[in-house]
Amino acid sequence: MHIKEETAERHTLAVIVDNEPGILARIAGLFTARGYNIESLTVSEITADKQVSRITIVTSASPATLEQIVAQLDRLVPVHRVHDLTAEGDHVERELALVKVRGTGDHRIEALRLADVYRARVVDATTSSFVFEVTGSIEKIDKFVELMGEVGLIEVARTGIVAISRGREAA
C-alpha cells in the first residue's frame, strides 16, 4: 500500500467570533488537541459595541487538514464565519515589528540608513540605541531584522499577521 503525503501550504484564516471570555482558548485548544500548528495569531474587536472580534490565524496544512480545521472552527458556537483568505483570492497581509538596535559610531549611521531604506520609523532614541517601527510583509520584516543583526540587534517584538481581503466584500 502506498500512502500519498500531501504537502502543507500556508493559509491565512479570518475567523469572526462573538467577543466572549474563553473563545480564544477554545480556538487555540482546537488546534492543539489535533496537533495543528499556529504560526501567527492576532485578535481584535471589530465592532463599535465591542461584541464581535476578528481572529487572524496563519497555519500550514495540507488541503485535507485545512478543510478539517475550517469545518471544526465553523462548528464552534461563538464563531460567525471562517474565511480562508488564501483560498478566496487576493488579500493584503501585514505585520508590525519593533526592533531595538545598538546605535553608536558607524553602526548608528548604518542603522539609520537601513531604516530609511526599509521605511522604518524611529519611535525611540537614546545616545546608545534606537527602537524602530517597521511594517510590511513577513519577508520584509525578516530581512530588516537580519540586516539589523549585523549592526547591533538587541531585541525584536512582532505583532503577528493581520490580513484583509481585497475588493468590496467583507471577510
Side-chain angles (χ1 to χ4, degrees):
M1 179 191 320
H2 183 343
I3 299 173
K4 181 182 175 189
E5 273 192 43
E6 296 185 55
T7 56
E9 299 172 351
R10 182 181 171 279
H11 283 262
T12 303
L13 306 175
V15 185
I16 310 303
V17 300
D18 287 333
N19 187 15
E20 62 181 44
I23 184 59
L24 182 58
R26 289 177 62 196
I27 288 174
L30 183 148
F31 276 77
T32 302
R34 289 157 183 84
Y36 307 146
N37 188 38
I38 295 175
E39 296 173 15
S40 174
L41 176 72
T42 58
V43 183
S44 183
E45 296 166 338
I46 60 170
T47 58
D49 63 4
K50 301 180 189 261
Q51 296 297 306
V52 179
S53 290
R54 178 188 185 104
I55 301 173
T56 305
I57 302 169
V58 178
T59 188
S60 289
S62 68
T65 302
L66 188 69
E67 193 174 309
Q68 281 184 321
I69 290 170
V70 170
Q72 290 165 0
L73 285 170
D74 250 338
R75 280 196 284 274
L76 293 176
V77 172
V79 173
H80 294 258
R81 294 184 307 279
V82 179
H83 292 276
D84 180 352
L85 296 174
T86 306
E88 291 176 9
D90 286 343
H91 63 282
V92 178
E93 291 186 7
R94 290 292 181 263
E95 184 174 12
L96 177 139
L98 297 176
V99 181
K100 187 186 297 184
V101 180
R102 282 182 197 85
T104 56
D106 289 341
H107 290 292
R108 187 174 186 85
I109 294 166
E110 185 63 11
L112 287 169
R113 188 189 69 74
L114 288 169
D116 187 48
V117 169
Y118 280 81
R119 294 188 181 107
R121 290 186 330 127
V122 176
V123 293
D124 185 60
T126 68
T127 57
S128 61
S129 70
F130 292 107
V131 175
F132 296 106
E133 174 188 282
V134 61
T135 59
S137 67
I138 295 170
E139 296 80 15
K140 175 185 176 181
I141 292 173
D142 287 346
K143 190 63 178 172
F144 182 73
V145 169
E146 178 187 326
L147 291 170
M148 287 300 166
E150 296 175 21
V151 295
L153 180 69
I154 298 171
E155 185 177 8
V156 178
R158 295 175 79 150
T159 60
I161 299 294
V162 291
I164 196 164
S165 60
R166 292 184 184 264
R168 301 177 74 179
E169 300 301 315

